């Protein structure tokens, strides 16, 4: 993954970066799958990227879900061939809606029939920030003062605490006695993880397109996350990058507003591609990843941050077990965002004002093993509407003779 060049303007043709930036550093040995919209079939096709070329796999596997349900997806894909749809760089360049040529393929989010799920409060930093949101009742102006007082009370270094342990239970009792217990502390250090539905099947967007925040939101941020690809058996078969866009003012007013804070038009971004697990890349590697975040605004604002997966409070495998098993089945598998340690407190407009998005912010989420997911921020109401649902997909596959 080439380091992204700084300060691209969002109205430029290259704001979303190059193929070298989008793909993993070891692209020649990585087994990568994704989806493109293929005008020849007037619908989506699963693809693999090999030698810089995008190879159509739809004649063998009509959906990405079918690939991910294989006994050994990486080995199977590595041995497949198919029609060439073009160079990855050309297809990436054709993905931006403003300059898109609808007669040529463009990238989509790399999942299709998988459920879109997300885990919250899996890092100590995000745990503290969720408590602050709640106590501020979504009021950004109160957050700085509450943050200072909260950290003095409970500290910020909770990442070594095992959720659900006897030590965590003792801390819970102490916090209850001090009157600062919160529902966010419950899911942060209690036995049960927060796992919620991030979006509906097929509603995710991919790289090089806008992500959406509600126009009425005044406190919001990206959440850079590793996303696991899980088959219906519960086995993890790959990973990609995600942006779990969040409206902090909405969730801060009430946790019962989580669906409104999390699930809006274009609020779930995944991609650019799924890296399938093999001998070189597996869950052990995922646990060691560092995910970078870069935000650039047209106002000259620049923010950089890193999420270290080693600082997760809950192990990814434990989150998967809480998501899927005898208690809950997902017959088409799931994409599970693992949470973030990114909790933006850097002032943007005024001292103590904290961070919130502005329209046309360019958000880059990167990792050498997974590439770079790039989106720019727009109001959800102005992003391309989600119109292609499950019924449309099934009809398209039937018409193309793929189902």
């Amino acid at each position: 993954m080439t380091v992204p060049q700084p300060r691209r303007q969002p109205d430029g043709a290259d704001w979303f970066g190059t193929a070298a930036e989008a793909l993993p550093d070891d692209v020649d040995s990585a087994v990568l799958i994704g989806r493109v919209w293929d005008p020849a079939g007037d619908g989506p096709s699963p693809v693999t990227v090999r030698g810089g070329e995008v190879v159509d796999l739809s004649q063998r596997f009509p959906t990405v879900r079918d690939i991910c349900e294989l006994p050994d997806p990486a080995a199977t894909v590595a041995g497949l061939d198919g029609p060439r749809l073009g160079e990855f760089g050309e297809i990436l360049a054709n993905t931006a809606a403003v300059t898109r040529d609808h007669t040529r393929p463009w990238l989509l989010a790399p999942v299709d029939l998988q459920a879109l799920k997300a885990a919250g409060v899996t890092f100590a930093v995000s745990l503290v920030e969720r408590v602050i949101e709640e106590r501020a009742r979504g009021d950004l102006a109160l957050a700085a003062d509450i943050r200072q007082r909260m950290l003095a009370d409970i500290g910020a270094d909770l990442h070594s605490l095992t959720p659900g342990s006897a030590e965590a239970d003792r801390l819970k009792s102490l916090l209850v006695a001090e009157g600062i217990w919160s529902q966010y502390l419950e899911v942060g250090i209690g036995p049960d993880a927060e796992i919620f539905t991030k979006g509906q099947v097929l509603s995710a967007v991919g790289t090089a397109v806008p992500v959406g925040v509600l126009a009425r939101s005044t406190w919001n941020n990206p959440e850079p996350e590793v996303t696991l690809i899980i088959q219906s058996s519960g086995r993890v078969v790959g990973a990609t990058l995600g942006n779990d866009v969040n409206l902090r003012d909405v969730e801060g007013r009430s946790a019962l507003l989580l669906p409104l804070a999390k699930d809006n038009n274009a609020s779930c971004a995944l991609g650019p591609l799924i890296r399938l697990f093999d001998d070189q890349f597996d869950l052990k590697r995922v646990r060691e990843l560092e995910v970078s975040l870069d935000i650039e605004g047209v106002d000259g604002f620049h923010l950089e941050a890193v999420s270290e997966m080693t600082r997760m409070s809950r192990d990814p495998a434990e989150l998967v077990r809480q998501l899927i098993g005898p208690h809950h089945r997902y017959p088409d598998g799931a994409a599970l965002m693992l949470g973030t340690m990114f909790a933006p407190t850097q002032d943007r407009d005024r001292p103590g004002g904290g961070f919130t998005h502005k329209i046309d912010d360019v958000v880059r989420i990167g990792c050498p093993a997974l590439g770079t997911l790039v989106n720019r921020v727009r109001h959800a109401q102005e992003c391309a509407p989600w119109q292609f649902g499950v019924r449309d997909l099934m009809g398209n596959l039937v018409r193309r003779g793929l189902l």
Side-chain angles (χ1 to χ4, degrees):
M1 181 187 70
T2 303
V3 176
Q5 297 300 308
R7 307 288 170 140
R8 285 196 178 88
Q9 294 302 309
D11 56 350
D14 63 347
W15 66 268
F16 47 83
T18 66
E21 294 166 355
L23 294 171
D25 278 356
D26 56 345
V27 60
D28 291 337
S29 58
V31 182
L32 304 169
I33 60 171
R35 293 166 65 237
V36 304
W37 187 273
D38 185 0
D42 195 27
S45 291
V47 297
T48 186
V49 176
R50 186 179 302 140
E53 291 190 301
V54 177
V55 179
D56 184 1
L57 302 179
S58 63
Q59 294 298 318
R60 292 288 301 275
F61 300 103
T63 67
V64 168
R65 177 266 184 200
D66 292 319
I67 297 172
C68 293
E69 288 294 309
L70 292 167
D72 190 343
T76 301
V77 170
L80 290 179
D81 205 351
R84 267 58 174 174
L85 297 179
E87 294 289 329
F88 178 80
E90 296 173 350
I91 293 176
L92 172 65
N94 194 47
T95 300
V98 175
T99 57
R100 183 178 299 162
D101 178 354
H102 286 80
T103 67
R104 299 189 292 114
W106 63 89
L107 289 174
L108 302 171
V111 300
D112 41 43
L113 294 178
Q114 293 92 342
L116 300 178
K117 309 294 286 189
V121 201
T122 56
F123 288 82
V125 172
S126 62
L127 160 61
V128 171
E129 284 299 313
R130 291 297 177 268
V131 177
I132 292 168
E133 284 175 13
E134 181 182 47
R135 288 177 169 265
R137 298 291 189 266
D139 185 346
L140 178 58
L142 296 177
D145 179 61
I146 294 173
R147 183 176 296 109
Q148 183 177 2
R149 290 186 284 111
M150 278 260 334
L151 297 182
D153 284 339
I154 68 173
D157 192 15
L158 301 176
H159 75 276
S160 61
L161 191 69
T162 301
S165 66
E167 183 184 3
D169 192 56
R170 286 193 295 272
L171 176 59
K172 174 180 177 179
S173 298
L174 173 64
L175 295 173
V176 169
E178 293 290 327
I180 58 173
W181 184 248
S182 161
Q183 58 202 334
Y184 292 104
L185 288 164
E186 177 63 45
V187 297
I189 66 175
D192 299 314
E194 179 194 21
I195 299 178
F196 56 91
T197 296
K198 173 59 183 174
Q200 301 306 302
V201 170
L202 287 173
S203 69
V205 298
T207 198
V209 296
V211 289
V213 299
L214 292 184
R216 61 188 173 93
S217 173
T218 59
W219 187 16
N220 49 69
N221 63 265
E223 294 191 358
E225 306 187 14
V226 174
T227 303
L228 297 183
I229 307 302
I230 309 161
Q231 60 181 210
S232 59
S233 67
R235 185 163 68 98
V236 184
V237 296
T240 188
L241 294 168
N243 185 351
D244 178 13
V245 180
N246 184 40
L247 310 183
R248 300 188 71 182
D249 48 356
V250 172
E251 187 180 359
R253 285 192 286 123
S254 170
L256 296 180
L257 293 175
L258 181 68
L260 178 61
K262 291 289 190 177
D263 185 5
N264 295 291
N265 187 39
S267 65
C268 176
L270 297 172
L273 302 165
I274 295 169
R275 181 166 185 169
L276 295 173
F277 283 2
D278 55 16
D279 292 341
Q280 299 181 59
F281 184 74
D282 55 15
L283 197 57
K284 182 177 182 296
R285 282 280 308 279
V286 168
R287 293 185 179 101
E288 300 167 350
L289 295 178
E290 292 188 356
V291 179
S292 65
L293 172 71
D294 184 287
I295 303 173
E296 295 185 40
V298 293
D299 58 351
F301 177 82
H302 188 218
L303 184 153
E304 295 180 348
V306 175
S307 280
E308 302 172 16
M309 297 297 290
T310 57
R311 296 179 67 84
M312 284 188 69
S313 302
R314 297 184 189 271
D315 186 74
E318 172 59 25
L319 291 172
V320 173
R321 286 191 290 271
Q322 292 207 29
L323 169 71
I324 188 169
H327 65 292
H328 202 318
R329 299 291 188 183
Y330 291 86
D332 294 312
L336 176 62
M337 293 183 172
L338 293 178
T340 183
M341 67 179 288
F342 174 65
T345 59
Q346 179 176 329
D347 293 336
R348 183 165 195 174
D349 291 323
R350 65 185 188 279
F355 170 85
T356 193
H357 269 311
K358 292 189 177 184
I359 296 306
D360 278 335
D361 279 354
V362 175
V363 181
R364 299 183 184 88
I365 297 171
C367 173
L370 295 172
T372 306
L373 170 68
V374 188
N375 303 96
R376 61 179 174 181
V377 177
R378 293 290 174 84
H379 289 144
Q381 298 90 326
E382 298 170 353
C383 295
W386 173 41
Q387 296 178 311
F388 193 85
V390 175
R391 177 62 182 83
D392 300 289
L393 175 61
M394 296 300 107
N396 177 266
L397 295 178
V398 169
R399 289 193 299 272
R400 295 162 65 184
L402 301 177
L403 195 65

